[in-house]
Amino acid sequence: MDYFGSENEIFRNKELLQVSHLPDGDRIIGREDELTNLANAIKPATRGNTPNNVLVYGKTGTGKSLCSKFITNQAIERAEGNDVSIGVAYVDCLQESTETQAVQSAGHQLNDHAETDVSIPHSGLSTAEYYRRLWHIVDTRYDVALIILDEVDKIEDDDILMQLSRAVESGKLTESTVGVIGISNKVRYKDSLDERIKSSLCEREYVFSPYDATQIREILRSRSDAFHEGVLEDGVIPRVAALAAREHGDARKAIDILRFAGEIAEENALETVTESCVDQAHEREETSRLAELISKSPSHAKLVLEAMALLTQQKEGDDAPVTTNEVYDLYKRLCDRDGSEHLKLRRIRDILSELEFLSIIDQERKWAGKGKGNYMENRLIDDPEVIIAACNESD
Ligand SMILES: Nc1ncnc2c1ncn2[C@@H]1O[C@H](COP(=O)(O)OP(=O)(O)OP(=O)(O)O)[C@@H](O)[C@H]1O
């Protein structure tokens, strides 16, 4: 028995379908204007001058991270021709959400590329010391540092934005300069910022609009060499594009569905990827996306969701509404089942509105009639089975 199975008949280069894969410039579809704008904003850096700080907005999967990484890489190359050295650090603020973690990460990356004898340990230094080392590395090794702060709204302390955007002004950097590219999914993010940070961070702002189905199809086609020739059936790419364009044009979702469809064909030892693989892949993508969201939720939020899914299943139709009181009663029984203390009704209301914010449920306030006041109807957006599977997967 050969436990490795037969050679891969479906994928030729699956790497092309990983979200982390950075495609070449000619494989970036429909973002010429956005790339030109970003290039203009950071162009001064290629001559060793201070670039404009930029804030990039747009829904998930609209190419914000991709374009920011691509254009900063291109800036490095262009600067080399001018004998200017640019260092780029990419900080994912969802992972590095404290000021110290973010500064540590930026310092570590810039240090790595420059091979200095400064050490940037993962932990153990004060925030001020991490800053000191970061400024030292930038000042001694680079002409310009470009720092990309992805999901910048997740950063817990705005102070880093102030420090980075005013490093030259405040005299922290004397030889070199720095530019920041902040990326956010939240269009209202800027409103939450302190006025001083706003004026220095948001020198240029760009909004990335969602892709339409044609652009998603093109993005997928440009990666179809991830598969062996003739393996993708004709209807597969249009079907994936239609599914991804249905909510909003999310390229990440489209690429994930295409990868899952290939995996499903592989698992079933099929010779081709079919439209039915795509439908199964769509479900798998929803489960994995929800599982990721749910896994980041506290355990009581999971029980509330499980209660909602079970109640929805008991009612007719997959999108039947359930009242908050119904959810609360079943939630308490699930707590008893798990031997945990239940939270008060008020907290459950808060959890339900958080779930609405995350687009896992919809809520609608209803009028119960004179003397009875209002009540809330809650509806799952996804299939209850998918929710239950996601709750189990995230345990
Ligand atoms: N125009 C494009 N051409 C080719 N591939 C693209 C394009 N836009 C996005 N992609 C691919 O889609 C995936 C998601 O893109 P990206 O991470 O840049 O989106 P994002 O807007 O930063 O989303 P998020 O806010 O969720 O981080 C990546 O794999 C990326 O390579």
Side-chain angles (χ1 to χ4, degrees):
M1 175 79 188
D2 178 357
Y3 289 98
F4 288 107
S6 55
E7 276 303 310
N8 197 326
E9 306 289 346
I10 297 284
F11 293 107
R12 176 166 38 200
N13 182 6
K14 197 168 165 186
E15 189 52 36
L16 298 176
L17 299 175
Q18 301 297 348
V19 170
S20 55
H21 169 74
L22 203 57
D24 299 334
D26 52 3
R27 288 189 185 220
I28 300 183
I29 315 292
R31 285 295 179 237
E32 291 77 15
D33 291 349
E34 289 76 0
L35 287 167
T36 309
N37 287 337
L38 284 173
N40 284 335
I42 62 169
K43 196 168 184 178
T46 63
R47 297 219 154 261
N49 300 321
T50 306
N52 295 285
N53 291 323
V54 187
L55 204 53
V56 178
Y57 295 109
K59 295 197 172 181
T60 59
T62 50
K64 302 181 297 297
S65 317
L66 167 63
C67 291
S68 306
K69 286 181 187 167
F70 175 81
I71 211 71
T72 48
N73 280 343
Q74 208 174 59
I76 296 180
E77 284 171 25
R78 172 59 76 93
E80 272 168 9
N82 298 335
D83 220 10
V84 167
S85 141
I86 296 185
V88 174
Y90 170 85
V91 181
D92 177 357
C93 303
L94 189 64
Q95 307 293 333
E96 329 277 2
S97 60
T98 68
E99 182 181 11
T100 316
Q101 286 169 339
V103 182
Q104 190 277 339
S105 167
H108 182 74
Q109 293 175 51
L110 292 167
N111 197 30
D112 246 17
H113 299 149
E115 294 172 355
T116 68
D117 48 13
V118 181
S119 90
I120 307 272
H122 275 294
S123 56
L125 301 182
S126 66
T127 312
E129 183 56 23
Y130 279 118
Y131 272 118
R132 210 185 58 72
R133 295 189 187 189
L134 170 68
W135 304 139
H136 174 74
I137 293 164
V138 174
D139 244 354
T140 53
R141 296 293 164 138
Y142 298 101
D143 297 305
V144 188
L146 291 174
I147 300 185
I148 304 174
L149 298 175
D150 205 346
E151 307 226 24
V152 59
D153 47 278
K154 298 290 180 332
I155 204 98
E156 286 163 19
D157 190 342
D158 288 351
D159 205 36
I160 183 171
L161 304 177
M162 184 71 111
Q163 297 279 355
L164 292 178
S165 56
R166 305 212 154 189
V168 175
E169 221 175 289
S170 61
K172 298 282 180 2
L173 290 175
T174 51
E175 305 297 319
S176 313
T177 182
V178 63
V180 179
I181 300 180
I183 303 179
S184 174
N185 294 331
K186 299 206 165 54
V187 181
R188 308 195 70 82
Y189 168 64
K190 201 176 120 186
D191 299 349
S192 65
L193 290 176
D194 177 289
E195 282 304 322
R196 281 184 309 159
I197 299 179
K198 208 188 287 184
S199 69
S200 43
L201 183 69
C202 315
E203 288 170 334
R204 300 276 174 99
E205 281 175 55
Y206 302 115
V207 179
F208 281 40
S209 49
Y211 297 110
D212 59 29
T214 316
Q215 288 171 319
I216 299 258
R217 267 204 301 274
E218 250 190 275
I219 292 175
L220 294 174
R221 287 224 170 86
S222 76
R223 308 220 180 175
S224 56
D225 47 348
F227 295 91
H228 282 294
E229 210 162 322
V231 157
L232 282 185
E233 290 195 357
D234 285 348
V236 165
I237 286 184
R239 176 116 193 95
V240 177
L243 289 171
R246 206 157 63 185
E247 282 169 36
H248 74 263
D250 179 342
R252 174 195 308 273
K253 185 181 179 118
I255 294 173
D256 279 346
I257 296 178
L258 189 61
R259 190 181 65 252
F260 285 144
E263 287 171 358
I264 286 165
E266 210 172 38
E267 285 158 19
N268 293 299
L270 302 179
E271 282 174 7
T272 55
V273 183
T274 63
E275 285 185 55
S276 135
C277 299
V278 174
D279 292 336
Q280 293 171 53
H282 184 219
E283 215 167 279
R284 192 178 281 189
E285 188 275 338
E286 300 235 294
T287 313
S288 94
R289 181 175 54 86
L290 278 170
E292 199 189 322
L293 270 179
I294 293 170
S295 69
K296 289 182 202 148
S297 308
S299 58
H300 285 276
K302 286 183 207 166
L303 290 174
V304 168
L305 262 180
E306 188 180 344
M308 265 197 76
L310 292 170
L311 285 165
T312 310
Q313 275 182 332
Q314 283 165 18
K315 303 199 174 192
E316 274 172 46
D318 273 351
D319 63 349
V322 289
T323 66
T324 301
N325 284 338
E326 288 173 315
V327 177
Y328 188 54
D329 285 342
L330 183 52
Y331 153 80
K332 283 193 290 191
R333 280 190 273 137
L334 294 178
C335 286
D336 293 342
R337 175 198 71 186
D338 293 356
S340 63
E341 290 275 314
H342 57 78
L343 301 174
K344 295 231 160 58
L345 179 59
R346 193 164 42 82
R347 272 296 295 137
I348 299 310
R349 288 201 185 105
D350 292 344
I351 288 179
L352 286 167
S353 59
E354 281 159 27
L355 292 173
E356 189 198 27
F357 181 75
L358 291 171
S359 300
I360 299 178
I361 68 168
D362 265 339
Q363 290 195 302
E364 198 178 346
R365 192 169 288 287
K366 293 273 177 171
W367 172 240
K370 212 167 166 206
K372 295 193 190 139
N374 288 322
Y375 69 98
M376 188 68 90
E377 271 188 4
N378 308 281
R379 246 189 207 88
L380 285 177
I381 291 179
D382 291 277
D383 198 317
E385 270 177 37
V386 174
I387 296 284
I388 292 173
C391 285
N392 293 335
E393 200 172 292
S394 71
D395 279 343

